[in-house]
Amino acid sequence: MTGSRGERFPYALLGTWGLTRLVLLLFVFKVFVFPGPDVTSDVSVIYQGWYEILRTGAFPLDDVTWQYPPAASLAILSPALLPFLDYPSAFFVLAFLADLMVFGLLQYAGLRPGKTLRGAWVWAIGVPLLGPTVYARYDLMVTALAVAALFAGARHPRVMGTLAGFGALVKVWPVLLLVGAVKRRAWAAAAVTAGGIAVLFGLAMPGAFSFLTFQRNRGTEVESLGSLVFHVARHFGWNGQVLLNYGSVEFLGPGVDVVSTAALVLSAVAFGWLLLWRLCARHLRSHTLADAAFVAVLMFTATSRVISPQYMVWLVGIGAVCLCFRGSRMTLPVGLVLSACFVTVLEFPLWFSHIVSSDSLGITLLFLRNGLLVIAALLAALELWRSTVSDPAPTLPAQAARTKETLRSS
């Protein structure tokens, strides 16, 4: 069966997405039990506990695990849209719908002229590689906002800016989508949206920005790039601790502050490189907006002092948008991210006990996952620089034809 322009209907793509999502739903609804710790407890215990407080018009200020911008409350409150379901079930259904929305956008874009279905395939395969954790966190909803913003960017910069600004007040990182935006309307819309939402929350709900203090007091999470220092140091007498701290398992003890500061310095270096790229970029193409966003988010994820498993879905979503464009050079970095997703589900939740104990298997998994992210970030940055700074701008077909005609006549 073919479409209106002669494309074959993507039965294999739809089948892959449908089958893998059915399996994910069976896991989160506990028809099947996924090995390792119960990843759904965050929804049934933490999120639902926040929900009970947020619905009274206040933030959970006594809970140091609340480390999110104020608009994150909307994601936590969203299961109220399905009052006929209990809280966890409603949350899982909404996560599934966000997944479906992203898949629909990628498939629709992939069937348009000049695009490809590679991005839809990346999403179809990449999300289930993370296991049921992806449906048990609200990061998938934020990723849906980010994907919609990137697709809106070319023709509707104000819409992109609005979505990015709103996303930044949900989980901060969507502000990085604007790195490659060339139109001031996108930045202005983002600033107005973020500023307006911040003022509304600040006036309506006390403690809207308490999350900044909680974030500042965190240690080094055991899955981050910097944590490898302490995983190895434990075998040479390091006398620190591994504790549940601020909602995640972190290293606490001698040298942790130094490593956490080093992570911030690496993030600052990444920001400096992005600023330099933005000043030097001359040859901006249709896929540059998505490519730049992918590089930015990848850099800040790899250098962060916290790399939670659900963060990987950000990279899968933005990488999928990149590969919707035939001209994008991010194929290899996106492939490395997909490989890192597979390693991620091995280290959490499957063999998380090995990570906590810093044994040889745990250290190997972290070296592999974080190494893949670092290599992907370096390669993606190199390709972005080459395609926008080093390489000459491609000659348009009409210009090429006129040039040939001129040469013939001369």
Side-chain angles (χ1 to χ4, degrees), residues 4-81:
S4 58
R5 296 192 305 272
E7 308 93 339
R8 292 184 62 83
F9 192 79
Y11 289 110
L13 175 60
L14 290 172
T16 300
W17 183 87
L19 180 61
T20 54
R21 273 42 178 195
L22 174 61
V23 173
L24 286 178
L25 288 172
L26 291 174
F27 278 129
V28 294
F29 281 106
K30 298 183 179 177
V31 177
F32 300 137
V33 178
F34 200 82
D38 180 12
V39 299
T40 65
S41 61
D42 275 23
V43 177
S44 58
V45 177
I46 299 176
Y47 285 9
Q48 190 165 1
W50 290 341
Y51 171 83
E52 298 299 335
I53 297 172
L54 289 167
R55 65 191 300 194
T56 67
F59 286 100
L61 301 181
D62 295 329
D63 187 349
V64 295
T65 62
W66 176 259
Q67 301 165 16
Y68 307 106
S73 59
L74 301 178
I76 303 303
L77 290 169
S78 63
L81 298 171

Side-chain angles (χ1 to χ4, degrees), residues 32-393:
F32 300 137
V33 178
F34 200 82
D38 180 12
V39 299
T40 65
S41 61
D42 275 23
V43 177
S44 58
V45 177
I46 299 176
Y47 285 9
Q48 190 165 1
W50 290 341
Y51 171 83
E52 298 299 335
I53 297 172
L54 289 167
R55 65 191 300 194
T56 67
F59 286 100
L61 301 181
D62 295 329
D63 187 349
V64 295
T65 62
W66 176 259
Q67 301 165 16
Y68 307 106
S73 59
L74 301 178
I76 303 303
L77 290 169
S78 63
L81 298 171
L82 304 175
F84 48 87
L85 295 174
D86 61 81
Y87 185 90
S89 298
F91 187 91
F92 300 144
V93 169
L94 290 172
F96 168 80
L97 292 176
D99 182 359
L100 177 60
M101 172 187 165
V102 174
F103 179 70
L105 287 172
L106 291 166
Q107 185 179 352
Y108 174 77
L111 292 173
R112 295 178 65 82
K115 303 294 196 306
T116 170
L117 286 172
R118 290 184 306 165
W121 274 109
V122 167
W123 184 255
I125 296 170
V127 170
L129 284 178
L130 294 169
T133 303
V134 75
Y135 273 16
R137 305 291 187 272
Y138 80 87
D139 296 79
L140 202 151
M141 302 174 186
V142 186
T143 303
L145 279 174
V147 169
L150 287 175
F151 279 132
R155 296 185 177 182
H156 307 286
R158 287 193 181 93
V159 175
M160 177 195 176
T162 299
L163 291 173
F166 176 61
L169 266 291
V170 177
K171 199 146 189 180
V172 180
W173 69 265
V175 72
L176 297 173
L177 303 178
L178 297 168
V179 167
V182 295
K183 296 183 179 179
R184 295 180 181 178
R185 287 172 291 174
W187 286 90
V192 170
T193 301
I197 293 174
V199 169
L200 287 175
F201 273 106
L203 294 175
M205 298 176 70
F209 298 97
S210 61
F211 76 97
L212 295 172
T213 300
F214 297 155
Q215 282 283 1
R216 186 175 64 246
N217 294 332
R218 295 192 67 163
T220 294
E221 194 253 346
V222 295
E223 298 163 278
S224 65
L225 180 64
S227 74
L228 287 167
V229 173
F230 303 110
H231 282 293
V232 174
R234 292 176 81 182
H235 293 269
F236 295 93
W238 182 71
N239 60 353
Q241 295 177 297
V242 178
L243 296 174
L244 182 63
N245 185 54
Y246 288 92
S248 65
V249 181
E250 298 180 350
F251 282 114
L252 299 173
V256 171
D257 288 344
V258 174
V259 172
S260 295
T261 301
L264 293 175
V265 171
L266 284 176
S267 294
V269 171
F271 177 80
W273 184 91
L274 289 168
L275 180 59
L276 176 64
W277 166 80
R278 193 68 188 83
L279 293 173
C280 295
R282 293 292 181 269
H283 315 306
L284 302 181
R285 302 170 171 98
S286 60
H287 52 83
T288 300
L289 181 67
D291 288 354
F294 179 66
V295 172
V297 177
L298 184 51
M299 281 183 163
F300 281 94
T301 300
T303 60
S304 174
R305 57 182 173 171
V306 178
I307 306 181
S308 296
Q310 62 269 21
Y311 292 7
M312 299 298 294
V313 76
W314 313 345
L315 301 174
V316 174
I318 301 177
V321 176
C322 292
L323 295 197
C324 279
F325 296 89
R326 295 187 185 278
S328 176
R329 297 181 176 183
M330 295 299 160
T331 302
L332 179 55
V334 171
L336 293 174
V337 166
L338 292 180
S339 300
C341 287
F342 176 69
V343 181
T344 297
V345 80
L346 295 180
E347 61 93 355
F348 183 89
L350 199 59
W351 290 324
F352 191 61
S353 60
H354 296 275
I355 303 296
V356 175
S357 62
S358 300
D359 63 19
S360 57
L361 176 58
I363 293 175
T364 300
L365 288 172
L366 283 183
F367 263 108
L368 184 56
R369 197 279 300 272
N370 293 341
L372 286 168
L373 289 180
V374 170
I375 294 170
L378 293 175
L379 289 177
L382 179 61
E383 292 297 346
L384 180 66
W385 187 275
R386 284 176 175 172
S387 65
T388 58
V389 179
S390 301
D391 289 356

